[in-house]
Amino acid sequence: MSEPRVLYLPIKRKWFDMIEAKIKRDEYRERKPHWESRLVKSVKDGVTTPREYDWICLHVGYGPDVPKLWLPWRGYSVSNLLYPEWCDPCEGPRPIHFVIRMRNPQREKPF
């Protein structure tokens, strides 16, 4: 069996707690080269092919003992934010974001 494909996402504690409580169901990442390289496999003739993952690991800080949540990968969409209160403030018009689906969080590593 191959190693599971995991997308690691650092996250602020307030968002972590809301996702764990199943209040916040999406995580937003601004569409910039850093996140584009992690979420988009290729773009050809205007068609985007997303990268595939098995799991998402949300973590508050870095290191072996930081709080982590594991969620099955459910893909993403692209939007200018449906819930702007659930992301950090920005100046001017809302930028385009990747909206990563957060469902069924668990503390135990599933593999």
Side-chain angles (χ1 to χ4, degrees):
M1 186 172 177
S2 63
E3 190 71 21
R5 300 164 296 179
V6 179
L7 174 63
Y8 291 91
L9 294 176
I11 192 168
K12 291 182 179 179
R13 185 63 194 228
K14 68 179 180 177
W15 307 134
F16 181 94
D17 291 343
M18 288 176 74
I19 291 168
E20 185 173 35
K22 300 180 182 173
I23 297 167
K24 186 173 188 264
R25 309 224 353 131
D26 300 307
E27 175 58 13
Y28 302 100
R29 300 296 161 129
E30 191 171 347
R31 191 168 186 172
K32 290 187 173 184
H34 176 81
W35 291 108
E36 190 103 15
S37 71
R38 284 156 180 75
L39 296 172
V40 175
K41 185 175 182 178
S42 66
V43 178
K44 184 176 180 180
D45 299 326
V47 177
T48 300
T49 302
R51 289 193 184 275
E52 290 295 324
Y53 292 96
D54 299 308
W55 295 95
I56 300 168
C57 177
L58 298 177
H59 54 93
V60 179
Y62 296 90
D65 299 324
V66 299
K68 293 182 176 93
L69 282 178
W70 296 89
L71 304 101
W73 174 252
R74 297 285 184 244
Y76 67 86
S77 59
V78 178
S79 174
N80 65 343
L81 291 181
L82 300 174
Y83 299 101
E85 66 274 14
W86 287 353
C87 69
D88 291 328
C90 65
E91 296 291 324
R94 281 263 163 230
I96 301 298
H97 280 68
F98 292 105
V99 182
I100 304 167
R101 295 176 189 96
M102 300 281 131
R103 306 292 188 273
N104 305 316
Q106 57 190 52
R107 285 283 186 141
E108 295 297 317
K109 189 174 180 177
F111 52 91

